[in-house]
Amino acid sequence: MTVDDRKRRVLEAIVALYGMDGEPVGSSLLSEYLDMAVSSATLRNEMAALTKLGLLAQPHTSAGRVPSPQGYRYYVDHLLQDIPALDAESRRMVDSLFYNMDIEPEKLAQSAARALADVTGVAAAATTPRADDLCIAHFEVVQVGRYSAAVLAVTSAGGVRTRVARVDTGLSRQEAAAMAQLLNAHLSFVSPADLSDAMLIGLARQCSPQLTPVLGAAAALIRTEPVAQLEGAQNLVKWPESRHNLATLLEIFADSANASHLIAPDGGKLTVQLGDEMEPTMPGISIISKRYLAGGGLTGTVALIGPSRMNFRKLIPIMDYFSTKLGQCMSGKNQEALE
């Protein structure tokens, strides 16, 4: 695909102008915006050429042009270069948002997503951190109520997970200690992939039937998947092209595994997905996502979800810095970073 410098400038200008109000861009408006020493007729020819290349679309015969999905992909891949980092004042503003957030992973992911949605005016999502080789290094079992037992698990990365199991007959200290010994002997450092139903059935035979819920809670802690938090979904209602995708998004985010897959970035790179490329397809939607590093091999994802015409140049630096701050908070380094 041959796109010379002038065509690039025209495409970039149409992306910017269309992003402001969602209206097709005509040659007169384009000429005023570009302030180029070329006539409207020349710009119309360039727009026609970009349309022939599939980078622009014309909604109606007499209307101006809008970026096509292919045009947005070209724009993202070739024209979003050298975006400056977030300025110092904006970084301080983001720092202040994180200062009082709860450090418990699920609450932190939710608070960060909510703050990011408020700052950007689109929807935002964040997942709790995970690592493919993360295991449980140590279990403790504690009675927390007359008929409840808490299974506490320390991960190989130093994190703590908790799950409560109902024990209808109650749980004595001796039984709690015996269950902890059983769990540590057979389930510590067992990966989720190696935890089989046959293994659990064998362990169930080694404990009292009334205590099998404790075993189930321990298994659930080993198999814990990232939790994906979506905030600011109501912001999408104000964008006509993304409004009709809201039900699909909410359905996807009802399942954390599906949501995590949807917003997963390409490795460690900041990634922009367009709705026509997704599964399921959501025309008019785009997702900017970035992996954050939480220490100990743990990683998570932070993402912005909005219309294809959202202001990438403005939002990418914000999202990029949010990913850094979220990683610091998840690893417990936020306080020292602020100091």
Side-chain angles (χ1 to χ4, degrees):
M1 181 183 297
T2 303
V3 183
D4 59 33
D5 184 60
R6 187 159 68 188
K7 287 185 178 61
R8 287 176 177 232
R9 290 188 64 189
V10 168
L11 176 60
E12 191 167 17
I14 290 176
V15 168
L17 289 167
Y18 182 65
M20 292 178 186
D21 56 17
E23 294 294 328
V25 179
S27 58
S28 298
L29 178 60
L30 185 61
S31 179
E32 293 176 11
Y33 181 85
L34 284 173
D35 193 25
M36 294 172 64
V38 294
S39 66
S40 292
T42 299
L43 290 176
R44 282 194 294 272
N45 289 337
E46 295 288 15
M47 293 163 73
L50 288 167
T51 303
K52 189 173 182 180
L53 289 170
L55 302 181
L56 295 179
Q58 190 172 23
H60 309 289
T61 305
S62 59
R65 302 303 206 279
V66 301
S68 67
Q70 295 91 333
Y72 275 119
R73 175 46 60 195
Y74 186 91
Y75 171 77
V76 167
D77 291 345
H78 300 283
L79 303 181
L80 278 180
Q81 309 298 326
D82 302 321
I83 300 178
L86 198 64
D87 62 88
E89 183 178 351
S90 297
R91 291 199 303 271
R92 286 192 292 270
M93 179 272 293
V94 174
D95 291 346
S96 69
L97 294 175
F98 277 92
Y99 190 79
N100 290 317
M101 288 186 187
D102 193 312
I103 61 172
E104 193 278 320
E106 286 191 28
K107 293 180 180 178
L108 178 54
Q110 184 177 33
S111 296
R114 184 182 300 121
L116 184 56
D118 290 343
V119 168
T120 59
V122 294
T127 68
T128 51
R130 63 158 293 171
D132 291 336
D133 59 351
L134 190 69
C135 302
I136 302 300
H138 183 74
F139 290 95
E140 289 288 344
V141 179
V142 181
Q143 184 175 2
V144 292
R146 186 174 181 181
Y147 300 111
S148 299
V151 182
L152 288 77
V154 180
T155 71
S156 52
V160 178
R161 298 174 178 174
T162 305
R163 197 174 185 93
V164 175
R166 180 172 176 81
V167 181
D168 290 335
T169 58
L171 184 74
S172 68
R173 287 186 178 181
Q174 293 76 13
E175 288 172 325
M179 283 301 299
Q181 184 177 15
L182 179 70
L183 298 178
N184 284 312
H186 297 280
L187 295 184
S188 60
F189 295 101
V190 173
S191 70
D194 293 333
L195 182 63
S196 65
D197 290 339
M199 179 186 295
L200 293 174
I201 291 172
L203 290 177
R205 296 193 183 107
Q206 299 183 45
C207 64
S208 303
Q210 65 267 26
L211 298 182
T212 54
V214 176
L215 180 62
L221 290 173
I222 293 175
R223 290 169 170 164
T224 296
E225 291 294 323
V227 175
Q229 303 282 4
L230 176 67
E231 294 291 330
Q234 69 278 6
N235 291 338
L236 299 180
V237 176
K238 66 185 179 184
W239 304 88
E241 62 269 51
S242 60
R243 188 183 303 155
H244 63 279
N245 291 306
L246 187 54
T248 302
L249 271 174
L250 293 176
E251 182 178 351
I252 291 172
F253 273 86
D255 184 310
S256 284
N258 289 338
S260 298
H261 177 73
L262 175 69
I263 64 174
D266 181 11
K269 300 184 299 183
L270 186 143
T271 302
V272 177
Q273 298 181 71
L274 301 175
D276 296 80
E277 305 165 347
M278 298 175 194
E279 182 57 45
T281 58
M282 290 183 279
I285 283 283
S286 59
I287 298 177
I288 308 170
S289 57
K290 179 76 181 290
R291 185 176 67 179
Y292 68 81
L293 305 178
L298 295 171
T299 63
T301 300
V302 60
L304 285 174
I305 305 170
S308 298
R309 62 184 175 95
M310 61 180 169
N311 191 334
F312 294 100
R313 285 194 175 276
K314 176 183 177 182
L315 298 181
I316 283 176
I318 298 173
M319 217 277 304
D320 199 23
Y321 191 66
F322 253 82
S323 71
T324 299
K325 293 302 299 182
L326 183 54
Q328 290 176 350
C329 286
M330 286 291 184
S331 60
K333 297 178 181 178
N334 188 47
Q335 187 62 45
E336 65 183 67
L338 286 172
E339 294 172 352

